[in-house]
Structure formats: C-alpha cells, structure tokens
Amino acid sequence: MGRDQFDSKAKRTAHFRSCNVSSYTTELLEIHADDPQMHVLFIPGNPGVVAFYKDFVESLYEFLEGHVSVTAIGHTSHTKKNWDHGRLFSLEEQIDHKMDFIKQELENIEVPIILVGHSIGSYMAIDIFRRSLEKVTYCVGLYPFLEINPESKMQPIIQKIAASQVLSVAISLIIASLKFLPSWALRLIVTNSLGKSWSATALEATCSHLVQYHTIRNSLFMTMTEFQKLTETPDWAFMRENREKLAFLFGVDDHWAPLQMFEEVPGIALSTESNHTHTFSCTEAGSSFVAKYVASLIKNQLLCSGH
C-alpha cells in the first residue's frame, strides 16, 4: 500500500513529553492511536536521545495505518537539560529505568506490548522481554549490539576511551564547548562533520542534545558499562526458547552487529540490508526503510493474534 493511500488518521506528528520515572525526568516521543491494537515501546541505542528517532516513529505509525500506538523512551540523563545534576547511569540502571516506565505507564493498558530496540537498545529490549513475558508479546532488534565483536578494529578504541575518566571528561568538555558558538556556526560544523546526507531531524537533535556535557559524559559512561556487561555470553538459551517471538535486522559490514553471531539461534527471523548504516535514524530514507520493516513484522503479529 502506497503512502498516498493512507487515510488521515495514519499521518500524525510525534509529540515530545517529559515525565517522571522513579524520580528521574525522562524524555518521551509519542503517537497515540485512537483505538490501538498494540503498543510499541521503542528503546534507542547510545546516545539514547529520542529526538533522533522522530522520523522513524512517525513513519512506523504511518506504515501501521494508525492502528498501533508508538512510544520512544529516552535514556536517563541523555537529555537536553541536566535534570539529574551530573549523575552517571550504567547500562543496568538504564534497563531498570525502562522496567519502571513499563510498570508506571503501561501496566494497565489492555493491548499487547511490542518492544523494538536499536543497537544496545536491542540488548535492553531482550532483557526487558525476559523479565516481562506476561506483558510483552514480541521483540525486534535493529542492528543489535549484543556482544563484543573480537574482529572489530573500532570497538577496542571506543572501549579504551570510555574506560578512561580523563579522556571521557576531556571529550565531553570539548564537545560541550561547541554550544557557545552561534547556532548557524554550530549547525555548519555538525553538517560538515557528520555528513550532508543527515536529515534535518538528526541535525537538530545533534545541536540540541549532543553538545550538552551531561549527555556526552553519560553516553561514554554507559558505553563503558556496556563493554563490561557484554563480555558475558548472550542468553542464547532464552532466545532459542522464544525464537518465534524475536526478529532482528542486520546491516552488511556493521561491526556492532555481525550477523554470524546468530549461528547460535537457528530458526530465528533474521533480515539483512546493505543500503543503510547503523545510524539508520539519521536519514529520512533509513528511517522509512526500517520503519517499513518493523511494520511488516507487527502486521504479521496482528494477523496471528486475530486483530
């Protein structure tokens, strides 16, 4: 079905909202369906800034023809304002934060919950799925970062930087100093350094969130704890047991998510693509492509559940 065939209820703008989750101010990006058949909870990668995913959230809602509500939840202190006064949050604390949100905001909804995670958000989604089997019916991982890739040349460099407090603070301070530039100069630097193919949404999110000291510092601290945690072997037994409720999208040559890791889970739904990067949400084409992929999986779930 082409986009020009969608009715008006399938085209809505995602709205930003701040809410308090376990005393921490949390940024949300939401679109609510009038009569939802399912609720998608999207968990971002790292940095966990939901503003990067606005195009994706809106495209997903549109491809689902307005029948599914969508909520994207940001990571604690990966925010525009320094709500948490410099506190640093680990991977485990970010997972607990998402669990608290589900208990607080989604516990009483009557429709099934589908978890969708990007990069390390895929790891988080699977862990939440394991803890919430009664509420969550399906889980999708996009370019999933689930274990350390020994063949990656970039990961050891990133790991060393994140593990060094001196380097992390220095990098955070250097990046944060850019916010004192005139807005046009900041945007010019971001555009030229990150690529002119990036969407206006991604450029705006970079200028508003990634030049904040607390956001970069938290992103690097979370990265450090990711590498510590992901030295452990993924829970392949859980994934094998629930392979009919899991699906993953991989990018070709993505060092964060090498496809060969899933040789441990035969029969799981795996897809690959070669036209977009790990940072799919930073382009309109990538957001639309991945949203269409996720929507096709969710539509199959709607058919299987009889909705």
Side-chain angles (χ1 to χ4, degrees), residues 130-141:
R130 181 170 42 236
R131 302 190 210 179
S132 309
L133 282 173
E134 71 284 354
K135 293 291 294 183
V136 178
T137 60
Y138 200 68
C139 183
V140 182

Side-chain angles (χ1 to χ4, degrees), residues 167-204:
L167 288 176
S168 294
V169 169
I171 290 172
S172 300
L173 285 170
I174 291 169
I175 294 175
S177 68
L178 295 175
K179 70 181 178 182
F180 297 108
L181 293 172
S183 58
W184 65 266
L186 174 59
R187 191 175 183 88
L188 181 65
I189 291 172
V190 169
T191 301
N192 289 335
S193 61
L194 297 178
K196 296 180 180 179
S197 64
W198 274 32
S199 65
T201 298
L203 292 175
E204 178 60 33

Side-chain angles (χ1 to χ4, degrees), residues 261-273:
M261 79 168 88
F262 271 85
E263 294 174 355
E264 296 282 345
V265 193
I268 203 166
L270 305 178
S271 298
T272 59
E273 63 85 21

Side-chain angles (χ1 to χ4, degrees), residues 32-39 66-70 110-112 302 307:
H32 290 290
D34 295 331
D35 184 21
Q37 297 172 6
M38 288 185 173
H39 195 115
H67 296 308
V68 176
S69 295
V70 184
E110 297 179 354
V111 297
L302 289 172
H307 287 282

Side-chain angles (χ1 to χ4, degrees), residues 236-255:
W236 300 121
F238 173 80
M239 285 187 258
R240 280 192 291 269
E241 184 180 344
N242 293 276
R243 59 182 175 271
E244 294 181 356
K245 300 176 183 178
L246 293 164
F248 295 93
L249 175 66
F250 291 84
V252 174
D253 296 328
D254 181 3
H255 74 90

Side-chain angles (χ1 to χ4, degrees), residues 39-291:
H39 195 115
V40 171
L41 179 62
F42 177 79
I43 302 172
N46 183 8
V49 176
V50 289
F52 278 107
Y53 299 90
K54 185 174 186 290
D55 293 340
F56 167 74
V57 167
E58 291 176 349
S59 293
L60 179 59
Y61 181 85
E62 188 173 332
F63 280 124
L64 290 168
E65 303 173 55
H67 296 308
V68 176
S69 295
V70 184
T71 299
I73 178 171
H75 297 335
T76 310
S77 208
H78 293 217
T79 50
K80 187 174 182 179
K81 293 185 179 181
N82 186 13
W83 302 108
D84 301 305
H85 309 292
R87 177 175 170 178
L88 301 177
F89 295 86
S90 68
L91 173 62
E92 286 296 320
E93 288 172 316
Q94 296 288 4
I95 294 173
D96 290 341
H97 169 252
K98 309 307 178 287
M99 286 294 302
D100 290 342
F101 174 80
I102 291 174
K103 293 174 183 176
Q104 175 180 308
E105 299 278 331
L106 303 180
E107 187 67 30
N108 295 322
I109 66 171
E110 297 179 354
V111 297
I113 296 172
I114 293 178
L115 294 175
V116 180
H118 172 221
S119 192
I120 192 63
S122 301
Y123 176 92
M124 299 168 76
I126 292 171
D127 197 38
I128 293 166
F129 185 26
R130 181 170 42 236
R131 302 190 210 179
S132 309
L133 282 173
E134 71 284 354
K135 293 291 294 183
V136 178
T137 60
Y138 200 68
C139 183
V140 182
L142 306 172
Y143 310 89
F145 180 34
L146 302 181
E147 64 177 345
I148 294 173
N149 179 5
E151 298 181 7
S152 171
K153 296 180 180 179
M154 285 297 298
Q155 287 187 20
I157 298 172
I158 296 170
Q159 184 177 10
K160 288 179 181 178
I161 292 172
S164 168
Q165 183 175 353
V166 172
L167 288 176
S168 294
V169 169
I171 290 172
S172 300
L173 285 170
I174 291 169
I175 294 175
S177 68
L178 295 175
K179 70 181 178 182
F180 297 108
L181 293 172
S183 58
W184 65 266
L186 174 59
R187 191 175 183 88
L188 181 65
I189 291 172
V190 169
T191 301
N192 289 335
S193 61
L194 297 178
K196 296 180 180 179
S197 64
W198 274 32
S199 65
T201 298
L203 292 175
E204 178 60 33
T206 301
C207 293
S208 63
H209 286 69
L210 293 194
V211 294
Q212 305 298 332
Y213 175 84
H214 66 277
T215 297
I216 296 298
R217 187 73 180 88
N218 257 283
S219 176
L220 289 169
F221 182 78
M222 181 176 167
T223 298
M224 179 188 72
T225 62
E226 288 171 26
F227 279 106
Q228 292 170 348
K229 187 65 177 177
L230 269 58
T231 56
E232 302 173 6
T233 302
D235 192 347
W236 300 121
F238 173 80
M239 285 187 258
R240 280 192 291 269
E241 184 180 344
N242 293 276
R243 59 182 175 271
E244 294 181 356
K245 300 176 183 178
L246 293 164
F248 295 93
L249 175 66
F250 291 84
V252 174
D253 296 328
D254 181 3
H255 74 90
W256 293 110
L259 181 61
Q260 60 266 27
M261 79 168 88
F262 271 85
E263 294 174 355
E264 296 282 345
V265 193
I268 203 166
L270 305 178
S271 298
T272 59
E273 63 85 21
S274 58
N275 295 319
H276 305 286
T277 66
H278 188 82
T279 54
F280 74 91
S281 64
C282 292
T283 67
E284 291 182 5
S287 295
S288 179
F289 174 86
V290 176

